Amino acid sequence: MQHNLARARACAPQAKIWAVVKANGYGHGLERAMRGFAAADGLALVEPDYARRLRELGWRKPILLLEGFFDPDDLAMMQECGVNGAVHCVEQIAMLEAAPLKGRLDLHLKMNTGMNRLGFLPAACAAAYARLRAIPGVGTITLMTHFANAEEAAHPSLTMHEQIRRFRSGADGLDGPRSLANSAGVLRLGEPDLDLASDWVRPGIMLYGGTPGGPPAAAYDLRPTMTLSSAVIGLQDIGAGDVVGYGSHFRASGPTRVGVVACGYADGYPRHAPHGTPVLVDGVRTSLIGRVSMDMMTIDLTGVPGAGVGSVVTLWGAGLPVDEVAQAAGTIGYELLCALAPRVRVVEA
Ligand SMILES: *Cc1c(COP(=O)(O)O)cnc(C)c1O
């Protein structure tokens, strides 16, 4: 985590870094993420309860709620705990106007530059900004937007260039820090034709050794922070025509040694991962066969003659990038990391 944070720093030497720790630190555990990113300038997340928890755990630097507050209780917590938050809709502004602030509250004004998820359209930002500025107690207003396709050089529907252009026009004349890039943006910060400069960046996935798409994480010298591993707990030797698992989806075309691995969808391994999804057994690459069940999965050990009960199986992480497993399973590394189930025993290396 420290190494990956340093990589983000090297990409964005002029900017301050919000290390994004939402979703329980992308599945790594909030406290573990907090310790791993101790050198970040702030921690950003979505869950108000976890923002309070970060203060209880001793985090003294800034905290940002990326979706802001959902009700007046959240606003009270933000003031009590000194938590910064996004304002993305007029309903939130009305909530702020209705409840006199007891202290100072720093905010992020979220601009919708084409993603059409959260935020004010560029043309509506000045008015929203003015309303926030008029509220006694509101401190720094940071202007922020979020990219839809930062990992693609030229998306046919919405380019990062276009989002940056809209952001600059909506933010024109408004005072305050700027916050633009997620991991994909951070990794592209050096590109000469991109006006990506900002005061803050908000990397998430890259800090956990994953990529948002494009070249593999190793190409950016990012290291996996989570290795999911288990062991072979059973063996079956089957012949041509024999089938494996629920639904009997896999049929052997010849003599096949099946390894049963103690890991399933109740551990966070995706049930929809198809035959051929890569796994490592004692460091040798082989693949999933048959359907993933709740507590187990079956793998092909035919080409790994040394393997047996007790062999270590890596599902993702060191030696097997989570992005590669995710791609085979038709999803993204983010989803696999976030879905790590509470029953998985965590061992800190
Ligand atoms: C999750 C999130 C990020 C981090 O995105 P990554 O792709 O993981 O780097 C940044 N900004 C906002 C607003 C987010 O919600």
Side-chain angles (χ1 to χ4, degrees):
M1 287 174 167
Q2 291 167 5
H3 168 86
N4 293 337
L5 181 65
R7 293 292 306 129
R9 278 250 184 257
C11 293
Q14 324 293 353
K16 291 201 227 175
I17 297 181
W18 292 111
V20 179
V21 298
K22 62 190 174 186
N24 201 26
Y26 286 50
H28 292 66
L30 185 70
E31 184 172 5
R32 216 167 276 119
M34 184 189 89
R35 282 190 272 120
F37 305 134
D41 300 289
L43 297 178
L45 70 178
V46 164
E47 307 85 351
D49 293 353
Y50 281 11
R52 178 190 286 282
R53 183 88 192 107
L54 284 171
R55 287 290 182 236
E56 289 165 2
L57 289 168
W59 182 261
R60 302 257 163 274
K61 290 191 257 185
I63 298 175
L64 167 62
L65 285 172
L66 294 162
E67 293 176 4
F69 44 91
F70 305 99
D71 57 38
D73 286 350
D74 295 338
L75 260 181
M77 180 281 295
M78 288 165 66
Q79 291 173 76
E80 184 193 329
C81 299
V83 171
N84 194 322
V87 174
H88 61 79
C89 63
V90 288
E91 290 79 1
Q92 284 178 316
I93 298 181
M95 216 188 293
L96 277 164
E97 289 169 339
L101 297 178
K102 291 183 200 73
R104 173 195 158 112
L105 187 65
D106 293 334
L107 296 170
H108 274 58
L109 180 59
K110 176 96 183 238
M111 199 188 303
N112 170 13
T113 53
M115 189 159 181
N116 289 318
R117 211 172 52 171
L118 296 182
F120 296 89
L121 287 170
C125 273
Y129 186 98
R131 272 178 79 179
L132 290 176
R133 195 68 295 160
I135 297 170
V138 169
T140 303
I141 302 174
T142 302
L143 296 148
M144 126 161 124
T145 195
H146 193 58
F147 296 121
N149 306 305
E151 68 282 4
E152 283 184 56
H155 192 278
S157 304
L158 181 66
T159 63
M160 189 156 74
H161 286 90
E162 176 59 14
Q163 284 198 269
I164 295 170
R165 195 193 61 73
R166 293 181 195 178
F167 178 79
R168 300 283 177 218
S169 88
D172 191 37
L174 303 180
D175 197 32
R178 273 46 176 170
S179 174
L180 291 167
N182 52 5
S183 294
V186 169
L187 294 171
R188 295 184 61 185
L189 262 165
E191 289 185 25
D193 57 337
L194 276 180
D195 180 17
L196 251 175
S198 67
D199 302 281
W200 286 85
V201 292
R202 308 185 307 271
I205 194 71
M206 71 178 289
L207 301 181
Y208 304 95
T211 65
Y220 297 107
D221 187 22
L222 298 170
R223 299 183 191 158
T225 54
M226 178 198 294
T227 295
L228 178 65
S229 62
S230 184
V232 175
I233 60 165
L235 295 170
Q236 304 291 340
D237 286 299
I238 62 174
D242 288 341
V243 290
V244 176
Y246 286 123
S248 304
H249 269 260
F250 176 82
R251 181 180 297 276
S253 57
T256 301
R257 170 159 277 202
V258 179
V260 182
V261 181
C263 181
Y265 60 77
D267 300 294
Y269 195 90
R271 182 175 174 277
H272 54 267
H275 311 314
T277 302
V279 298
L280 282 186
V281 182
D282 290 336
V284 179
R285 190 177 273 248
T286 178
S287 65
L288 191 70
I289 57 178
R291 213 178 242 173
V292 173
S293 51
M294 185 184 285
D295 310 304
M296 283 173 267
M297 66 177 74
T298 38
I299 62 173
D300 186 356
L301 290 181
T302 315
V304 199
V309 169
S311 290
V312 174
V313 181
T314 300
L315 286 326
W316 63 66
L320 183 61
V322 68
D323 294 317
E324 203 183 320
V325 178
Q327 193 174 18
T331 182
I332 53 176
Y334 298 72
E335 189 180 12
L336 301 189
L337 297 179
C338 291
L340 189 77
R343 81 174 186 184
V344 175
R345 188 188 300 152
V346 177
V347 181
E348 282 188 42

